[in-house]
Amino acid sequence: MRTLIAWVFFYSLDGLLAEEGTDFWDVRFPLPFEPDHLQEQIDLYSSADLHLMGRSAYEGMSANLPGSDHPFARFMDAAPKVVFSRTMAGAGWANTTVVSGDTAEEVRRLREGGDGHVIVWGGVRLWRSLLELDLIDELHVDLHPYVSGKGTRLFDGDPANYALELVGSTPYANGTVNLHYRRPR
């Protein structure tokens, strides 16, 4: 069965996700990629069997990646993608399927048929629903040396209890630390 991996970008010390229009977004988003960190992401993302995302994440990515020089554009254009949305009728980005059924059943179906991994891009509603359903196997969190004060909490009451095992932590020159956790099963 495929492993579900969520990688949370731009997470502040006070537990908030950077959002467009906040100071945290403006400070963190234009930073240059750390070469080692970027290569880790490219290796993991490009080797995924499938990429899952919610409607908002899909809209942002599909509007900016195809045909761009972004380091993820080349493999994301070709990669199989699934968008969870109850409002989208179809998708214009190549190799994208829209699903609107029961989240737990859809994810269970998508995990079958392989031993690889699936990347969960978000957004936060999708992450939260998958966490609440206990479907995420690994969580990578890029913790930035920033106290935001504004943004959305990844963990906002659900799930109430969620044990994780630390697999590793990697500090980067810009002060960001990647925390890699696994859900004990």
Side-chain angles (χ1 to χ4, degrees), residues 18-19 31 37 44 52 71 96 131 138 144 166 176 178 182:
E19 293 179 340
L31 287 179
H37 194 193
L44 183 68
L52 303 184
T96 302
L131 288 165
E138 294 185 20
H144 289 261
L166 182 65
T176 301
N178 175 262
R182 182 176 298 128

Side-chain angles (χ1 to χ4, degrees), residues 52-124:
L52 303 184
M53 57 195 78
R55 181 192 49 81
S56 295
Y58 168 81
E59 287 174 349
M61 292 173 69
S62 67
N64 293 293
L65 284 183
S68 77
D69 62 353
H70 191 281
F72 300 163
R74 181 182 45 79
F75 62 83
M76 284 302 295
D77 283 345
K81 297 168 282 294
V82 174
V83 180
F84 284 83
S85 175
R86 295 195 190 336
T87 59
M88 288 177 55
W93 196 3
N95 303 311
T96 302
T97 304
V98 177
V99 296
S100 60
D102 177 78
T103 302
E105 287 304 314
E106 291 287 355
V107 169
R108 282 187 191 100
R109 184 183 60 76
L110 294 169
R111 292 176 74 175
E112 293 174 356
D115 293 327
H117 64 276
V118 176
I119 297 296
V120 182
W121 288 87
V124 73

Side-chain angles (χ1 to χ4, degrees), residues 8-11 15-19 24 124 127 150-152 154:
V8 179
F9 302 107
F10 307 127
Y11 201 60
L16 299 168
L17 297 165
E19 293 179 340
F24 184 24
V124 73
W127 283 330
K150 286 186 176 179
T152 300
L154 174 59

Side-chain angles (χ1 to χ4, degrees), residues 1 14-15 38 42 46 53 58 93 97 135 138 151 155 161:
M1 183 170 289
D14 56 341
L38 176 61
I42 289 172
S46 65
M53 57 195 78
Y58 168 81
W93 196 3
T97 304
L135 296 173
E138 294 185 20
F155 301 100
N161 295 298

